[in-house]
């Protein structure tokens, strides 16, 4: 029986395996780490004595691939968010607070309402912003939006940092537009912000592994690939540290590896670099965190601060700083950023002088691939020169940025191509 070998049990690899297993294909997933999930995982932190996510991830109600994936693996009530498309913000320096609320339906009535649009902005600011829809491949976000408008500091900059994990001066405008086109442009029903209720692992990873195994597949952990054996036309073998797996004449292979590992395994491939980092700080208070500042959702956006998004789950506050390499946060010692961002967090969540009990700093040095115009141009096709080799991962050309949605789309695409060759 022909088989699909998938290297990498991150979200893209698991998405490919789930899709293939659903269609009755024989699947084996190999993962070098001791757990599945890659950058999208949960773990028990012994210092905090809490289960936390390695990073904070936000999806949108319009992320169809992600929602379909969760339905397919049977993830039960995995997501939580506000009842409407609302985004609370606080300017840490001034203390000003506001909430952007996007109305249902494709006509953006919200931009005409001072109560719901970004403060100190005018309707014409949003009309001008439509130019991003026509941005060419070589344009950054900063190239096509008005940097003098309040909309820049209070919408474009936080959105670019969150979605592209880089600054507006570097992020490709076309990639950001594709997110806007599939969410905000369609109205509130497609723009509700959602997070994993119990964590990324319980929502996206554990049910996927169970689904694969329930459908006859296997997920092998601690299996680090060393060499891909090839002839002139196809992959013939996979050499791991402890074994070599023959790839049969009708077998297919999917490499769902991050760019750095992919380049090591297949030197002829040249994906975008993956040195864009994210700083995550998890503060444990030891008592439930007050949530009045959050409104109806589990997070708040922070402006004029090193911390950018504050997520609350029970007695843990998780702060994310995207593009920490570009913003210089990576160059500062942990004690410095922990103290500074905690002061910001006290303001953002209206905690007064309340202190935390314990803290954990997680620096994701290779969080996402480069999403500048130059990086986007280097995104790889899912098909390769080898007849039975396909690529998955958010560095492939999915049409959307390197997000949970992009990772799942890449896995779906690779699975579709592999299935066609199996036939």
């Amino acid at each position: 029986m022909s088989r699909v070998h998938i290297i990498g049990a991150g979200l893209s690899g698991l998405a490919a395996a789930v899709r293939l297993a659903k269609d009755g294909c024989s699947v084996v997933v190999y993962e070098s780490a001791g757990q599945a999930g890659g950058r999208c995982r949960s773990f028990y932190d012994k210092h905090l004595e809490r289960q936390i996510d390695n990073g904070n991830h936000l999806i949108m109600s319009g992320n169809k691939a992600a929602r379909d994936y969760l339905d397919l693996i049977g993830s039960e009530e995995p997501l939580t968010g506000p009842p409407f498309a609302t985004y609370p913000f606080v300017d840490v320096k001034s203390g000003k607070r506001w909430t952007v609320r996007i109305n249902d339906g494709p006509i953006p009535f919200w931009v005409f309402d001072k109560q719901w649009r970004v403060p100190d902005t005018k309707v014409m600011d949003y009309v001008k912003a439509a130019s991003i829809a026509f941005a060419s491949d070589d344009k950054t976000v900063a190239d096509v939006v008005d940097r003098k408008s309040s909309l820049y500091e209070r919408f474009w900059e936080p959105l670019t940092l969150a979605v592209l994990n880089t600054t507006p001066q570097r992020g490709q405008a076309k990639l950001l537009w594709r997110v806007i086109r599939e969410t905000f442009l369609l109205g509130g029903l497609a723009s509700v912000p959602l997070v994993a209720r119990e964590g990324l692992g319980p929502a996206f990873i554990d049910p996927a592994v169970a689904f694969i195994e329930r459908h006859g597949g296997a997920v092998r952990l601690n299996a680090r690939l060393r060499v891909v054996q090839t002839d002139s036309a196809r992959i013939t073998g996979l050499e791991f540290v402890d074994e070599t797996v023959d790839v049969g004449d009708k077998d297919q292979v999917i490499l769902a590896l991050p760019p750095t590992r992919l380049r090591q395994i297949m030197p002829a491939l040249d994906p975008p670099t993956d040195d864009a980092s994210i700083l995550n700080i998890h503060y444990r208070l030891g008592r439930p965190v007050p949530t009045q500042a959050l409104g109806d959702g589990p997070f708040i956006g922070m402006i004029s601060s090193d911390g950018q998004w504050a997520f609350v789950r029970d007695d843990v506050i998780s702060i994310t700083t995207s593009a920490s390499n570009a913003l210089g946060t990576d160059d500062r010692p942990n004690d410095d950023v922990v103290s500074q961002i905690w002061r910001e967090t006290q303001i953002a969540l209206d905690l007064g002088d309340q202190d935390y009990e314990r803290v954990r700093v997680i620096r994701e040095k290779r969080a996402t691939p480069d999403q500048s115009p130059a990086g986007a141009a280097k995104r790889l096709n899912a098909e390769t020169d080898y007849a039975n080799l396909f690529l998955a991962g958010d560095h492939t050309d999915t049409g959307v940025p390197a997000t949970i949605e992009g990772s799942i789309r890449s896995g779906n695409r690779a699975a579709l191509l592999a299935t066609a060759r199996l036939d």
Side-chain angles (χ1 to χ4, degrees):
M1 181 180 181
S2 58
R3 174 172 293 174
V4 181
H5 305 269
I6 300 175
I7 315 301
L11 197 52
S12 58
L14 292 178
V18 163
R19 187 66 59 176
L20 289 161
K22 168 185 171 290
D23 293 338
C25 301
S26 177
V27 176
V28 180
V29 183
Y30 307 87
E31 168 58 44
S32 63
Q35 67 284 318
R39 300 192 306 266
C40 181
R41 63 185 178 90
S42 303
F43 65 96
Y44 182 80
D45 185 272
K46 293 181 180 180
H47 177 66
L48 293 179
E49 297 181 336
R50 298 291 185 272
Q51 179 165 291
I52 60 174
D53 295 332
N54 65 318
N56 298 308
H57 292 264
L58 184 74
I59 73 167
M60 309 276 277
S61 53
N63 291 158
K64 189 175 185 303
R67 303 294 296 274
D68 289 347
Y69 168 85
L70 291 171
D71 287 343
L72 179 57
I73 63 177
S75 191
E76 297 181 3
E77 298 184 2
L79 305 176
T80 184
F84 307 103
T86 57
Y87 292 80
F89 286 92
V90 56
D91 187 313
V92 172
K93 284 187 177 179
S94 67
K96 186 171 186 177
R97 297 176 183 274
W98 67 93
T99 297
V100 174
R101 177 171 173 177
I102 301 170
N103 62 278
D104 295 344
I107 302 176
F109 294 113
W110 63 279
V111 305
F112 299 97
D113 190 331
K114 287 185 177 181
Q115 181 181 358
W116 296 122
R117 69 178 182 236
V118 177
D120 303 321
T121 62
K122 301 177 181 178
V123 173
M124 188 54 62
D125 294 326
Y126 298 86
V127 174
K128 292 178 181 178
S131 62
I132 194 172
F134 308 100
S136 57
D137 291 348
D138 62 335
K139 297 298 183 182
T140 67
V141 176
D143 288 335
V144 298
V145 302
D146 183 4
R147 298 180 61 181
K148 297 179 181 179
S149 167
S150 294
L151 197 61
Y152 180 83
E153 180 185 9
R154 295 177 173 178
F155 178 78
W156 289 117
E157 187 169 39
L159 183 66
T160 305
L161 289 166
V163 173
L164 301 184
N165 192 31
T166 192
T167 63
Q169 291 81 6
R170 285 187 51 82
Q172 190 194 46
K174 179 174 284 188
L175 273 179
L176 189 62
W177 163 246
R178 286 170 176 168
V179 172
I180 295 171
R181 183 180 62 190
E182 295 184 9
T183 54
F184 298 115
L185 193 66
L186 300 180
L189 292 179
S191 306
V192 178
L194 301 168
V195 299
R197 183 187 300 274
E198 301 296 333
L200 297 171
F204 289 91
I205 307 306
D206 302 340
V209 173
F211 181 94
I212 294 164
E213 294 176 342
R214 193 165 60 246
H215 287 75
V219 178
R220 298 183 183 176
L221 303 177
N222 299 305
R224 184 173 179 82
L225 182 67
R226 295 177 56 192
V227 176
V228 173
Q229 299 174 350
T230 67
D231 61 20
S232 60
R234 57 186 305 278
I235 306 301
T236 59
L238 302 169
E239 183 180 328
F240 295 91
V241 173
D242 297 327
E243 65 173 331
T244 297
V245 176
D246 292 330
V247 176
D249 292 342
K250 295 184 178 180
D251 287 359
Q252 309 298 313
V253 178
I254 296 174
L255 292 182
L257 298 171
T260 296
R261 280 290 291 142
L262 181 62
R263 197 178 288 112
Q264 293 169 351
I265 296 298
M266 304 291 291
L269 297 178
D270 187 25
T273 58
D274 58 348
D275 55 0
S277 58
I278 295 177
L279 169 69
N280 298 287
I281 305 180
H282 303 272
Y283 299 96
R284 196 197 85 178
L285 271 64
R287 65 183 68 87
V289 178
T291 58
Q292 292 89 339
L294 305 179
D296 295 322
F299 69 92
I300 187 171
M302 301 160 66
I303 306 297
S304 304
S305 61
D306 289 333
Q308 297 163 5
W309 298 90
F311 296 80
V312 173
R313 185 185 296 143
D314 299 325
D315 62 352
V316 175
I317 303 170
S318 299
I319 306 294
T320 290
T321 297
S322 298
S324 53
N325 58 315
L327 298 177
T329 318
D330 284 357
D331 301 325
R332 293 162 57 188
N334 283 355
D335 288 348
D336 180 12
V337 294
V338 164
S339 298
Q340 174 62 31
I341 291 179
W342 178 246
R343 289 191 291 271
E344 298 167 351
T345 302
Q346 288 175 314
I347 295 171
L349 296 181
D350 199 18
L351 299 178
D353 60 358
Q354 185 173 349
D355 207 353
Y356 60 89
E357 288 186 351
R358 300 183 182 186
V359 63
R360 169 66 69 197
V361 178
I362 299 177
R363 296 180 183 267
E364 295 183 272
K365 292 295 187 179
R366 299 187 180 277
T368 61
D370 177 16
Q371 300 189 89
S372 68
K378 295 183 69 174
R379 284 182 146 200
L380 301 176
N381 292 324
E383 295 181 273
T384 72
D385 292 337
Y386 295 98
N388 64 338
L389 176 64
F390 308 97
L391 305 178
D394 52 19
H395 58 277
T396 61
D397 191 7
T398 61
V400 294
T403 56
I404 283 179
E405 177 75 2
S407 292
I408 293 173
R409 288 191 188 187
S410 76
N412 291 345
R413 172 65 174 162
L416 181 65
L417 292 169
T419 301
R421 296 291 172 86
L422 287 173
D423 295 339

